[in-house]
Amino acid sequence: MPSLRCSFFGGTLTPFLYPALCASSRASIARRCPLHARYSSTTTGSTYDPPVLPAAHDSHLDPTPDNYSLTPFADRCIVTAEAGSGGHGCVSFLREKYIEEGPANGGDGGSGGNVYIQAVRGETSLHKLARRRLIKAGRGRNGQGKLRGGERGEDVLITVPVGTIVREILRHDAIADEIAEQWRNERQPPKEQTEEEEASSYRKDKWLVFPGMVPSELNRMTFPVLPAPRKSHLAALQPQAPIWLDLDKHMETPLLLAAGAMGGLGNPHFVLPNQSRPKMATRGDEGMKVSMQLELKILADLGLVGLPNAGKSTLTRALTNSRARVGSWAFTTLQPNVGTVVLDNHKGRPAVMKRRRDGELRENFLIADVPGLIEDAHLDKGLGLGFLRHVERAAVLAFVIDLSAGDAVAALKLLWREVSEYESLQGKELNAATERRMVTYSPGKITSNQGDPFGDLDPPDLNSLKPLPFLTSTSITSKPWLVVGTKADLPETQANYEALQRYLGEVKSGAQPHPSNRKNAWKHKVQSVPISAIKGEGVEVIPQLVMDLLDE
């Protein structure tokens, strides 16, 4: 492919956005056409010498712009999961030689597909689900003649990252509503009904009739009583409504969210002594719809917290193979980046050997680079609340401090202030949600002529009421943490780091309060590490420190 000349893009932003394109094109032109660089234009009389740029220094820690990789990320979305509807029953009759009018042999419709959810390792974002919005299982096939039932609808599996919270917003279950209405009607005293009232009328949304029937014949038909509404036996495995799940562990087997609807009944189910050839069948039931809010609070082993331009993205590149964007300006990271720190690459003895709580050897751990926090981030300034919630899902916190950007102790106190204030706001929201959920039961006054206030209904058993489950999470201030001092290779940073080290020693001994000013905050093994992330110096000790803190 021939290289492009930069003069083609003179009136555009291409040279500014893609400098490597123009540099490579100029070098290619100079190699193939030396005269272009040596001689000048006859109209101006000036000599044009294109600059010969040196080869770009392509490093993983100090990359060129074409080395960046922006991974699509979404940490919150609303998804509607719809179970498959049931297939329709079949109206069919036996047709063979010497059988003039055979019996009914229509098959039943197949049940709809189910909707499952599963939290798996490897998924780090909800952007795939955010684009779909509607996730629908397959519809059951219709029944066929010769008593052949329809096939089941295809199931759907929703895969989400570990650390996803599922909250139900809205539910539409027509079959459950019919069952509840039937139960209420059964509790009422029975009424005397005539034979005409016992017979059901034609309902287009419930009945299917033999094709080719004229309206006059349809009006003369007598339809039996509609069958009772049915639910799949798999519906017993669904979580209780409203759905409130915290998928904080890897799931080996999926969880059923919505069971498929039942299929319709074929015409053999409506054979009566006075009606041996019924010409009707029932339609399949409507599938259940559940609208859910999915929220991802990244469940990482190590979470990086720091001010803008502190070196968090460069540290992530130094520890992992992440291709996060880096730069010498603030807010280069606009979304959380998740990287994997490999402890054992199976090419020799691992440098760090640790076991999980279940005894399995750790091969890696996850690191989450949260966008930079500014002052009053807990008031939703900057990127604030949108990413502060990812901090509370990390097992260990690493506060990244730029040693060349002023007082390191003041920067650490500022970060802890924002994190602790966010935790206080979360506690207030949880208390408000608890008050909204609490219901105080107070029976009305009973007079002597009222009799039993509940009538034929069973009195409520208040002891059997179970409160809705709440999301359990370790408080942020009680998590293990360490301090990473970046840019330690720059001059005049040693005194700043020594002051930070003295302050952490006083916090550990109790001479100084915890930076969050919380009484029960964690300060057992507070440590600090000076590093130069862009040179990769000092970062090799961080995995061992993280593994030791995970045991806490």
Side-chain angles (χ1 to χ4, degrees):
M1 176 181 178
S3 56
L4 302 175
R5 296 183 59 184
C6 261
S7 59
F8 296 165
F9 309 113
T12 66
L13 294 176
T14 303
F16 175 74
L17 297 177
Y18 304 98
L21 178 62
C22 293
S24 61
S25 62
R26 289 171 182 170
S28 176
I29 294 174
R31 287 194 302 269
R32 292 186 298 169
C33 187
L35 297 179
H36 178 78
R38 184 175 300 177
Y39 294 98
S40 62
S41 174
T42 57
T43 57
T44 59
S46 60
T47 303
Y48 171 71
D49 294 328
V52 180
L53 300 178
H57 176 61
D58 188 5
S59 171
H60 181 66
L61 300 181
D62 189 13
T64 56
D66 58 352
N67 187 258
Y68 300 149
S69 176
L70 182 61
T71 304
F73 184 84
D75 59 350
R76 183 180 293 180
C77 67
I78 295 178
V79 176
T80 300
E82 182 176 351
S85 302
H88 303 322
C90 178
V91 182
S92 175
F93 303 97
L94 179 63
R95 301 182 66 179
E96 291 185 359
K97 191 177 182 180
Y98 305 118
I99 300 179
E100 182 178 359
E101 294 183 353
N105 65 349
D108 298 340
S111 58
N114 307 320
V115 180
Y116 297 89
I117 190 171
Q118 185 177 12
V120 296
R121 301 190 188 101
E123 295 284 344
T124 58
S125 175
L126 298 173
H127 68 279
K128 298 178 183 178
L129 298 177
R131 290 198 297 260
R132 294 184 63 179
R133 296 296 181 93
L134 176 62
I135 300 175
K136 188 174 182 180
R139 177 182 174 274
R141 299 288 184 177
N142 297 336
Q144 302 178 18
K146 299 182 181 180
L147 296 176
R148 288 180 296 181
E151 297 181 358
R152 287 188 65 251
E154 294 184 358
D155 297 338
V156 171
L157 176 62
I158 304 174
T159 56
V160 296
V162 177
T164 302
I165 297 173
V166 183
R167 296 184 179 94
E168 179 181 329
I169 301 177
L170 184 65
R171 176 186 294 255
H172 173 68
D173 191 355
I175 304 303
D177 296 340
E178 291 182 7
I179 293 176
E181 183 179 359
Q182 182 185 15
W183 182 83
R184 288 193 298 266
N185 295 334
E186 291 178 353
R187 303 292 293 186
Q188 295 177 358
K191 298 180 180 179
E192 296 182 359
Q193 295 180 349
T194 62
E195 295 181 357
E196 296 180 355
E197 294 178 349
E198 291 179 358
S200 175
S201 59
Y202 173 68
R203 291 180 55 181
K204 190 175 181 180
D205 60 332
K206 292 295 183 180
W207 291 105
L208 279 175
V209 295
F210 192 75
M213 294 188 62
V214 296
S216 59
E217 185 180 359
L218 183 62
N219 294 332
R220 291 194 302 267
M221 286 182 57
T222 301
F223 289 86
V225 179
L226 276 171
R230 301 170 299 157
K231 297 203 71 171
S232 173
H233 61 280
L234 294 177
L237 302 178
Q238 296 176 180
Q240 295 182 358
I243 298 176
W244 191 288
L245 304 174
D246 187 5
L247 308 179
D248 58 347
K249 296 180 181 178
H250 174 77
M251 301 170 61
E252 296 294 340
T253 57
L255 174 67
L256 178 65
L257 278 182
M262 298 295 293
L265 302 177
N267 60 337
H269 291 272
F270 306 105
V271 175
L272 298 175
N274 58 348
Q275 191 176 16
S276 60
R277 290 169 52 85
K279 296 183 179 181
M280 76 284 293
T282 58
R283 296 179 179 269
D285 296 334
E286 181 184 357
M288 181 179 65
K289 298 180 182 179
V290 181
S291 296
M292 302 170 295
Q293 181 191 34
L294 304 182
E295 180 182 355
L296 174 61
K297 295 187 176 180
I298 298 177
L299 190 62
D301 298 300
L302 178 65
L304 303 182
V305 184
L307 297 173
N309 200 26
K312 300 183 295 299
S313 299
T314 308
L315 176 58
T316 305
R317 276 181 167 262
L319 292 173
T320 68
N321 291 328
S322 173
R323 297 175 61 186
R325 185 183 186 185
V326 297
S328 58
W329 61 88
F331 295 110
T332 56
T333 302
L334 299 178
Q335 64 182 20
N337 296 316
V338 181
T340 302
V341 181
V342 179
L343 302 177
D344 187 5
N345 57 3
H346 304 285
K347 294 182 179 180
R349 185 173 181 180
V352 181
M353 292 185 61
K354 281 292 181 179
R355 293 185 179 272
R356 303 179 186 268
R357 294 184 178 180
D358 55 0
E360 182 182 358
L361 281 173
R362 278 185 174 269
E363 298 179 357
N364 51 57
F365 69 90
L366 295 180
I367 178 173
D369 173 20
V370 182
L373 305 179
I374 64 174
E375 188 174 0
D376 293 336
H378 68 281
L379 301 178
D380 210 9
K381 292 185 178 181
L383 298 179
L385 296 177
F387 299 105
L388 263 174
R389 63 176 178 272
H390 297 290
V391 178
E392 61 180 329
R393 299 290 286 183
V396 178
L397 300 181
F399 289 87
V400 182
I401 305 297
D402 185 1
L403 299 178
S404 64
D407 190 0
V409 177
L412 178 62
K413 291 181 178 179
L414 173 62
L415 292 175
W416 263 116
R417 173 179 172 271
E418 299 303 324
V419 172
S420 60
E421 289 293 336
Y422 168 75
E423 186 178 9
S424 301
L425 290 178
Q426 292 297 99
K428 293 179 182 178
E429 292 182 1
L430 181 61
N431 292 337
T434 305
E435 292 179 359
R436 289 194 300 267
R437 291 164 182 266
M438 294 180 63
V439 177
T440 304
Y441 173 76
S442 56
K445 296 182 179 180
I446 303 175
T447 58
S448 58
N449 57 354
Q450 285 181 338
D452 188 3
F454 301 106
D456 296 333
L457 300 177
D458 298 330
D461 185 6
L462 301 180
N463 297 326
S464 64
L465 297 179
K466 297 181 179 180
L468 291 176
F470 294 102
L471 300 179
T472 58
S473 177
T474 306
S475 61
I476 302 178
T477 54
S478 61
K479 295 178 182 291
W481 57 283
L482 71 156
V483 179
V484 179
T486 59
K487 306 178 184 180
D489 58 324
L490 298 180
E492 301 179 359
T493 57
Q494 184 175 2
N496 197 9
Y497 178 72
E498 290 177 354
L500 174 64
Q501 205 169 15
R502 287 195 301 269
Y503 172 74
L504 294 179
E506 294 175 356
V507 170
K508 183 178 179 180
S509 62
Q512 288 279 357
H514 192 271
S516 64
N517 294 324
R518 300 292 180 91
K519 294 183 179 180
N520 298 325
W522 188 91
K523 52 183 179 180
H524 180 51
K525 295 181 180 179
V526 181
Q527 302 183 53
S528 60
V529 182
I531 66 168
S532 174
I534 198 169
K535 295 181 180 179
E537 298 176 355
V539 297
E540 63 275 358
V541 301
I542 294 180
Q544 183 64 56
L545 293 178
V546 174
M547 291 297 102
D548 294 339
L549 293 177
L550 284 176
D551 296 337
E552 296 289 327

